[in-house]
Amino acid sequence: AAAEAALKTLYIAQSDSAQDAEERKKRLEARRAKKAEAAPVVKKGFHFDAPGPEEQEALRTLKLRVNLEVGAGIDAMPTWYGMVIEEIDDEPGQEGLRVGDCITSIDGRSLREMEDCEGTFAESLRDGAEILVEPHCETRGVVPPGSTGINWPGLLVDMEQFAGDYQVTLTVAKDRSSISMSGPQSAVVGAREGATELLRCYFPA
């Protein structure tokens, strides 16, 4: 009986020891995870801010208002991504539509990647036409402190060419402390990586 009790005590002690080890392991992993979360992520070279809510916003479905006298009351520019709204008149008014929004389709007809999306848009324009809309987005990146010897004329030429290819707007702040990129959601999302790589050629660290 004494031997049996001793074996039972030994088994319990071993079980407790294994349980303690598991608990210590969990605590260690938790501390490591917390430390990793707290540790600042050091990004080298130029980088844009993290995507904001506009870059992650879902497409909106709206109904166009078209008046026989004033039409839709909007000025829009054709782009590779659709019709970008430049101005909205008070009459007839377009509920939910904002300046800078990009109309990507109208009544089920896509306006993306077309040579003449303006013609397709005009053909489908009617009162109550259903449109899919994505927002205008803007992101900004700080020029790394201590950047010297920058070939600004060359950079501006490269930025202009890149902006034309991706149909975004790239702008250098007046004090050259930051660079902004803006345009339709799809354009900004698609250009983010390429623009970052281009700017890191001039601001590597």
Side-chain angles (χ1 to χ4, degrees):
E4 184 178 347
L7 286 173
K8 186 176 182 181
T9 301
L10 177 60
Y11 173 75
I12 292 174
Q14 288 175 337
S15 298
D16 289 346
S17 178
Q19 186 176 0
D20 289 344
E22 185 64 26
E23 290 297 328
R24 284 196 298 273
K25 183 179 178 181
K26 288 181 179 179
R27 288 196 297 270
L28 180 59
E29 289 175 351
R31 283 196 295 270
R32 286 175 177 170
K34 187 174 181 180
K35 184 177 180 181
E37 290 176 1
V41 178
V42 179
K43 298 181 179 179
K44 295 183 179 181
F46 181 91
H47 62 274
F48 287 107
D49 293 338
E54 293 83 4
E55 281 189 57
Q56 303 172 63
E57 181 180 308
L59 289 173
R60 310 193 312 274
T61 301
L62 305 174
K63 297 282 188 179
L64 276 178
R65 295 175 178 173
V66 179
N67 185 290
L68 291 177
E69 296 182 0
V70 299
I74 59 175
D75 286 334
M77 175 180 67
T79 73
W80 191 244
Y81 302 94
M83 298 292 291
V84 174
I85 304 300
E86 296 184 316
E87 188 175 344
I88 304 174
D89 296 336
D90 293 335
E91 294 294 334
Q94 300 296 340
E95 185 177 356
L97 194 63
R98 306 183 294 248
V99 171
D101 279 346
C102 181
I103 300 175
T104 63
S105 74
I106 179 168
D107 272 349
R109 300 181 67 182
S110 176
L111 301 175
R112 294 181 184 273
E113 300 181 9
M114 298 180 65
E115 295 295 334
D116 184 27
C117 70
E118 187 173 17
T120 301
F121 180 74
E123 290 172 4
S124 304
L125 188 62
R126 65 175 180 82
D127 188 49
E130 186 175 274
I131 57 174
L132 284 180
V133 179
E134 66 179 28
H136 174 85
C137 297
E138 182 170 355
T139 186
R140 171 180 169 272
V142 175
V143 172
S147 298
T148 59
I150 305 302
N151 179 9
W152 287 99
L155 171 59
L156 294 175
V157 169
D158 283 345
M159 285 174 53
E160 183 178 3
Q161 292 177 345
F162 182 93
D165 290 342
Y166 283 85
Q167 297 197 0
V168 294
T169 300
L170 282 169
T171 308
V172 178
K174 290 183 178 180
D175 62 359
R176 295 182 173 178
S177 63
S178 64
I179 297 175
S180 299
M181 179 171 64
S182 62
Q185 181 189 60
S186 295
V188 171
V189 171
R192 178 182 276 273
E193 183 177 350
T196 300
E197 290 178 358
L198 168 65
L199 293 168
R200 281 183 179 173
C201 291
Y202 289 89
F203 309 109

